Amino acid sequence: MREYAYWIQNERAGVKRPGPDFLDRLIVSPMADGFTWYLEEGFRYRSLVEPNPGTITVVQRFETDFASIPSPLTVLLPKWSVYGPAAVVHDWLYWEQTKKRAEADAVFLEAMNTLNVPAWKRLALFAGVRIFGGWAWWENKRLKLLGVTRMRPPRATWPAFPTWHRNRVSLASWITRRPGSVSPLKRLPRQK
């Protein structure tokens, strides 16, 4: 927040300083599961959130589900809307965990503000990630420790299922599989 005050003070004094901004267009393609997308090209966002302001780069082939909103609430807040690019940056920060969780959530709020998301939506989404985002944060940490990735394979053909979803299904079936049952992963089409 100090960074915003400093930026406004310099703006009034006539000192031009770049503010938070999306530096690239978001170009995505759908995955076969119907709710996951992957980035066709890298995507950058310049943030002023302290203590680590700078450019956040979401890499090409990263898999995202945009805003993780429970189904009953999608009537008011769909998974994709004007806040979609902010949700992609937030998903990336939650997956990579190069910032603290509170910083990642602050970047999400800042990015939604940059996109001129209406205040009620911005505050509802921010409250949602602050209250309920802890589970996703720790689940991502656990999946990364198990070697799961959220990167689409370079030569995967369509229809491709999300890499992290395939690995979650595989891990869940391995943990809960009964002798003689077929793994849910074997029912998914193979990627090349």
Side-chain angles (χ1 to χ4, degrees):
M1 298 306 161
R2 283 180 291 148
E3 185 71 23
Y4 287 125
Y6 177 76
W7 182 48
I8 290 169
Q9 181 181 13
N10 284 340
E11 193 73 22
R12 288 182 185 150
V15 177
K16 294 293 181 191
R17 181 163 184 230
D21 196 12
F22 290 92
L23 305 175
D24 300 307
R25 288 185 326 142
L26 178 62
I27 302 172
V28 294
S29 288
M31 302 291 282
D33 66 349
F35 63 89
T36 306
W37 298 70
Y38 71 92
L39 273 69
E40 288 277 351
E41 296 179 9
F43 180 63
R44 296 175 299 152
Y45 173 71
R46 182 177 48 233
S47 173
L48 297 180
V49 171
E50 289 287 344
N52 299 315
T55 302
I56 299 163
T57 303
V58 184
V59 299
Q60 182 181 12
R61 299 184 301 118
F62 176 67
E63 297 171 356
T64 180
D65 63 350
F66 293 108
S68 303
I69 297 172
S71 295
L73 299 178
T74 57
V75 173
L76 293 173
L77 297 167
K79 290 183 173 289
W80 170 260
S81 184
V82 69
Y83 46 79
V88 171
V89 171
H90 189 251
D91 276 359
W92 174 255
L93 292 174
Y94 261 50
W95 182 254
E96 282 299 305
Q97 299 185 357
T98 54
K99 295 180 179 283
K100 294 179 180 175
R101 182 175 161 240
E103 291 174 50
D105 293 344
V107 168
F108 182 48
L109 182 63
E110 175 193 56
M112 286 190 294
N113 194 34
T114 302
L115 293 167
N116 296 319
V117 175
W120 73 269
K121 285 184 181 181
R122 191 170 58 231
L123 295 176
L125 291 166
F126 180 70
V129 297
R130 286 309 301 152
I131 295 168
F132 302 109
W135 180 85
W137 181 268
W138 292 108
E139 177 69 4
N140 284 342
K141 183 175 270 193
R142 184 183 73 80
L143 289 172
K144 281 183 75 172
L145 288 173
L146 291 171
V148 175
T149 180
R150 284 185 75 164
M151 302 299 290
R152 182 174 192 259
R155 290 176 296 283
T157 58
W158 204 92
F161 283 85
T163 309
W164 64 276
H165 177 68
R166 289 178 62 89
N167 288 322
R168 277 182 29 181
V169 169
S170 173
L171 291 169
S173 68
W174 180 77
I175 293 168
T176 61
R177 191 175 4 184
R178 294 185 199 118
S181 66
V182 177
S183 167
L185 186 62
K186 291 185 180 177
R187 290 189 291 247
L188 296 175
R190 283 281 181 230
Q191 296 180 11
K192 294 180 179 159

